[in-house]
Amino acid sequence: MSAKLMGMVWDLLLDPAERTVLLSLADHAAHDGTNCFPTIELTAWKTDYSTRQVQRILRRLEGKDLIRLVSARSGGRGARTEYHIHLENGTRKPPPTKGDNLSPSRHKPSRQDVT
């Protein structure tokens, strides 16, 4: 599990589904993005997406070069897929703005408000 990678995912400009699946993958990876072996079924369970939706999202993440399929074995015992995570290829979000977007208060303090 890499909390370091998971923290870095928040800096990327992604849609919510891509972020959720990438966070799930980062939860299974080493700090350098290697040794990531979660199954589609486990990722679907963790993200509450269908297995087919997870597969589509993984293809989108591959298309953005955020993950790379390293090895895939199909069928039988011990079958697994390995991904490497490459967050350095992602687009960073702009920094947050200071303050908030709320309107200023129109409340005028009364004598009772001031102590």
Side-chain angles (χ1 to χ4, degrees):
M1 172 175 78
S2 177
K4 177 182 174 182
L5 278 181
M6 291 175 74
M8 293 169 64
V9 169
W10 294 109
D11 294 336
L12 299 179
L13 189 60
L14 298 167
D15 75 32
E18 292 170 345
R19 180 180 328 293
T20 303
V21 170
L22 193 54
L23 282 168
S24 178
L25 294 178
D27 190 31
H28 290 274
H31 289 310
D32 62 357
T34 61
N35 296 316
C36 183
F37 297 99
T39 64
I40 299 290
E41 292 78 11
L42 178 60
T43 304
W45 178 82
K46 289 177 85 172
T47 61
D48 291 322
Y49 293 123
S50 69
T51 55
R52 186 65 190 111
Q53 184 66 14
V54 167
Q55 291 169 338
R56 283 191 287 268
I57 295 167
L58 288 171
R59 296 299 83 76
R60 290 193 334 233
L61 293 171
E62 283 183 77
K64 292 182 177 187
D65 204 26
L66 292 171
I67 62 171
R68 292 184 189 146
L69 180 67
V70 177
S71 63
R73 297 183 200 152
S74 60
R77 290 180 72 148
R80 63 186 186 178
T81 300
E82 179 182 5
Y83 292 98
H84 284 184
I85 300 173
H86 294 278
L87 300 182
E88 69 277 5
N89 296 330
T91 303
R92 304 277 180 238
K93 287 193 282 190
T97 57
K98 292 185 179 183
D100 59 32
N101 296 329
L102 298 176
S103 300
S105 173
R106 295 179 192 246
H107 174 72
K108 292 182 181 180
S110 68
R111 288 185 194 176
Q112 295 172 350
D113 293 336
V114 180
T115 56

